[in-house]
Amino acid sequence: KMEFKEFPKIPRLSREVVITEKIDGTNGVICIGESGEFLIGSRSRWIDEHTDNHNFWHWCMENKEELLKLGVGTHYGEWWGSGIQRGYNLLKGEKRFSLFNSGRWVKDKLLPLKEKQEYCPDCCSVVPILFEGLFDTVNINSVLDRLQVNGSQVVQGFMRPEGIVIYHKQGNLYFKKTIEKDEEYKGKILV
């Protein structure tokens, strides 16, 4: 007898979204295990001292004590700065790590915490939230236009921001929209 597979529920599009700045760097992953494991990765693989990704592994090892404050789990972010993609006009050798989970992490210790929020470790930052509210393409285009006119929020005065990331809460999905070449397909074409 064949097992019945129920059709999944479809999330409503007109629900809460969080729009953050898309930082042009390289993906970084920090995984902290229950037994104290400390693994470091890029978007698609674990890295070590020999397969480092723009010095991310070395930076993590130098900041391990502080990064352990992230707690057990897998923590994703963007490793960006001098020598990586746009560089953001940072000084030679200056790089930063910005955590993606803007619903959990707060950088400014002067701000009161909301439910389920924590202050991120001092060595990290958090991708800036540009908008929170109902999904609407008018809001998305407005945020993108403001970013293009006013420049990056991660480095004030940097006028070539990459774009935005839209997180749809009910669908638990991420979408990106870039300022330049948004219509170009970046992956492999499947035939």
Side-chain angles (χ1 to χ4, degrees):
K1 197 173 186 181
M2 192 179 282
E3 179 184 342
F4 181 80
K5 291 200 179 193
E6 172 181 321
F7 191 80
K9 288 192 175 202
I10 300 172
R12 292 190 185 273
L13 187 56
S14 296
R15 291 297 185 259
E16 291 286 317
V17 295
V18 177
I19 301 177
T20 57
E21 181 172 348
K22 182 176 186 326
I23 303 171
D24 193 10
T26 184
N27 191 267
V29 179
I30 299 167
C31 185
I32 302 167
E34 295 276 351
S35 304
E37 301 92 344
F38 187 75
L39 298 171
I40 303 158
S42 65
R43 186 181 59 75
S44 59
R45 63 187 167 89
W46 296 119
I47 58 176
D48 60 29
E49 62 186 314
H50 305 293
T51 60
D52 204 348
N53 186 17
H54 292 281
N55 210 41
F56 183 60
W57 184 88
H58 285 88
W59 177 84
C60 287
M61 296 310 290
E62 289 169 12
N63 291 281
K64 183 177 179 179
E65 186 175 324
E66 189 70 13
L67 291 170
L68 285 171
K69 294 177 183 176
L70 292 169
V72 172
T74 304
H75 308 281
Y76 297 95
E78 195 75 1
W79 179 240
W80 58 280
S82 175
I84 307 172
Q85 303 295 356
R86 291 173 195 259
Y88 290 82
N89 296 336
L90 297 184
L91 299 174
K92 185 175 177 152
E94 184 181 358
K95 295 177 178 60
R96 299 176 185 172
F97 184 61
S98 296
L99 294 160
F100 289 151
N101 192 340
S102 59
R104 176 177 178 183
W105 301 109
V106 176
K107 183 62 181 174
D108 189 345
K109 292 189 174 152
L110 298 175
L111 293 175
L113 294 176
K114 296 178 190 170
E115 185 181 343
K116 298 183 181 178
Q117 285 187 322
E118 301 172 58
Y119 295 117
C120 74
D122 290 337
C123 61
C124 300
S125 61
V126 182
V127 292
I129 296 173
L130 306 175
F131 174 84
E132 288 184 86
L134 288 180
F135 175 88
D136 186 323
T137 55
V138 171
N139 291 331
I140 290 168
N141 290 329
S142 175
V143 170
L144 200 60
D145 289 345
R146 272 196 323 263
L147 189 65
Q148 190 170 7
V149 169
N150 299 327
S152 174
Q153 298 299 298
V154 294
V155 175
Q156 298 298 314
F158 183 74
M159 296 308 294
R160 281 196 58 239
E162 184 180 15
I164 58 175
V165 172
I166 303 125
Y167 173 64
H168 189 280
K169 290 181 179 183
Q170 188 182 49
N172 193 26
L173 293 168
Y174 291 91
F175 301 92
K176 65 182 172 182
K177 190 155 180 60
T178 57
I179 293 170
E180 299 170 4
K181 302 180 183 179
D182 189 58
E183 66 288 341
E184 287 185 17
Y185 184 72
K186 203 172 172 182
K188 294 179 184 176
I189 297 176
L190 301 174
V191 180

